[in-house]
Amino acid sequence: MTSYLLKPGELTLKGGNREGFEHVLRRNLKALLGGTGARIEMTKGRFFIRCPEDAETKTEDCLRHLFGIAGWAKVRTCSKTADDIFNLCIEEARYFFNRGLRTFKVNARRTDKSFPLNSAGICGNAGEVILAALPGIRVDVHKPELVITVEIREKAYVYGNGEKGLRGLPVGTAGKGLCLLSGGIDSPAALYMMCSRGMHLEAAYFHAWPYTSNEARQKAVRLAEITGSYGMGVRLHIIPVTKIQMHIKERAPAEWTTVLLRMAMMEAAENIAFMRRAKCLITGESLSQVASQTIENITCTQSRIKLPVLRPLIGMDKEEIIRLAKKIGTYETSILPYQDCCALFSPAHPVLRGDPREARRLYEELELKPLLEEALKEMAVEKCAFPPGVCKD
Ligand code: ATP
Ligand code: MG
């Protein structure tokens, strides 16, 4: 069996809510590791995972996609006898020494005060045995490449350098939101940001077949799968938007078409959000990035919507967003060259500072209700990256 020690992140700050957060973190871990034989244990604010060796890769992959932990490390355990503990320290140091690390220090924490050595004693003794066992290794207390930690609790735990977690809050602690997910770079990053705050996300993709290809649809599915791997799965709603788009193009002034289409998308998304009990809409908008994202046009776009529209990227520039998209693994999919439905119909000279009253007047003249209802009836659903065995409604 392999053991991992998890350090909860912001959870420690949440006072009375803490138990609830820990409960959700545990539930998420259980769902993600279902079927691997892994067991999850919790003692005094620390999570331990014990899994069979052949489930290590899966467990580590899951920990790299888990919101709510500050860090984790593979940990060795033994009884609370000095010899056993120092032998584990040598083993642990040797593991990292063999991977090229040459300087170290030892940290010790003793919760069980009946253990005969105090923290300083543990550090001193462990340091000596490691130095004796591994010629070429040195102590550096200021900037060590390797930190060996010894914790004396109900058992003894020894671990070396761990990995940083994603931090944030466990998905499922902040209600549900619906993200308007295009095939672009921004909206998957926005979806990820909201997951990081503990929100469980569903997504809506507006598909303009045959103007946008099935590859474009597949791209949206793939993006929902990648972001869903951080978000305990994403339910993706695929809404045909071609008729609505044609209707707008035929009846509305050319310069308004993009803003009006966005308004229609918002209205459809709000309806889905009501059906799915999502409490807000999320978009990948960033202020003034394109004509439809000036503050005036953003005001037009949301002017008929009652739910709050959250825009986690609003103050980020494109380079920052690209960096985030690369980090989370959506970038390579997002830049695949399949046209977005809005790009195909965008006018040469779009309104830059639309007046919301004018926008609403034009929108209402379009009488889109029947077409919106039809589109929602024809909507398809894909369940992307739900943990196996878990089918959240
Ligand atoms: P993205 O990279 O997310 O596509 P973008 O910079 O291309 O963003 P726009 O095309 O103006 O920006 O879209 C703004 C936002 O509107 C998107 O971030 C997304 O939330 C939503 N959106 C645009 N097109 C679609 C679509 N076809 N389906 C669902 N949502 C969409
Ligand atoms: Mg786009």
Side-chain angles (χ1 to χ4, degrees), residues 179-190 203-208 212 220 237 239 241 258 261-262 265-266 282-286 289-293 301 313 318 321 334 340-343:
C179 180
L180 283 82
L181 184 74
S182 72
I185 295 167
D186 304 327
S187 44
Y205 167 66
F206 293 90
H207 187 39
T212 50
H237 306 263
I239 307 105
V241 75
T258 308
L261 177 62
R262 282 293 142 70
M265 285 184 181
M266 286 279 180
I282 289 118
T283 74
E285 288 161 310
S286 156
Q289 191 191 78
V290 288
S292 58
Q293 295 174 30
T301 319
L313 311 184
K318 195 77 187 185
I321 300 170
S334 288
D340 183 32
C341 67
C342 309

Side-chain angles (χ1 to χ4, degrees), residues 39-272:
R39 285 205 330 268
I40 298 142
E41 291 161 23
M42 218 192 95
T43 42
K44 300 199 181 91
R46 296 253 155 144
F47 281 86
F48 291 94
I49 299 173
R50 292 185 213 290
C51 70
E53 265 163 44
D54 61 7
E56 279 183 25
T57 313
K58 165 115 201 223
T59 304
E60 292 176 16
D61 185 56
C62 145
L63 292 173
R64 291 189 184 105
H65 288 79
L66 187 73
F67 286 115
I69 52 171
W72 54 276
K74 220 184 228 188
V75 59
R76 302 174 197 259
T77 51
C78 66
S79 65
K80 288 186 274 190
T81 51
D83 280 353
D84 286 355
I85 294 170
F86 296 138
N87 281 335
L88 280 196
C89 289
I90 295 172
E91 267 183 55
E92 190 65 12
R94 180 173 289 123
Y95 174 87
F96 286 95
F97 185 79
N98 289 341
R99 282 160 182 75
L101 275 57
R102 290 293 175 264
T103 58
F104 80 103
K105 77 168 182 181
V106 181
N107 272 343
R109 205 168 299 143
R110 188 181 58 144
T111 335
D112 172 5
K113 302 289 180 205
S114 71
F115 189 72
L117 288 170
N118 65 11
S119 299
I122 299 169
C123 291
N125 282 295
E128 270 173 34
V129 295
I130 291 171
L131 284 169
L134 302 172
I137 203 164
R138 282 184 295 115
V139 173
D140 180 344
V141 288
H142 301 296
K143 271 192 159 184
E145 293 165 339
L146 167 64
V147 179
I148 302 267
T149 306
V150 180
E151 295 190 15
I152 313 286
R153 299 163 170 268
E154 66 298 337
K155 275 188 264 177
Y157 298 93
V158 176
Y159 54 93
N161 294 350
E163 277 197 36
K164 286 211 166 81
L166 292 179
R167 311 192 79 91
L169 298 167
V171 170
T173 56
K176 194 197 277 182
L178 180 72
C179 180
L180 283 82
L181 184 74
S182 72
I185 295 167
D186 304 327
S187 44
L191 195 162
Y192 172 92
M193 295 266 287
M194 296 317 296
C195 290
S196 84
R197 299 312 299 159
M199 193 165 252
H200 188 230
L201 272 291
E202 296 198 5
Y205 167 66
F206 293 90
H207 187 39
W209 192 82
Y211 298 97
T212 50
S213 60
N214 277 327
E215 280 90 343
R217 182 190 196 274
Q218 262 324 103
K219 191 169 144 180
V221 171
R222 182 72 197 120
L223 290 170
E225 276 169 359
I226 300 170
T227 48
S229 70
Y230 299 92
M232 303 304 296
V234 162
R235 186 182 167 106
L236 174 67
H237 306 263
I238 299 168
I239 307 105
V241 75
T242 316
K243 284 186 193 159
I244 293 171
Q245 212 161 10
M246 299 306 287
H247 186 89
I248 294 174
K249 193 175 158 64
E250 280 161 20
R251 308 233 185 147
E255 67 274 21
W256 276 94
T257 48
T258 308
V259 169
L260 292 168
L261 177 62
R262 282 293 142 70
M263 291 171 77
M265 285 184 181
M266 286 279 180
E267 181 165 358
E270 187 176 55
N271 276 314
I272 299 168

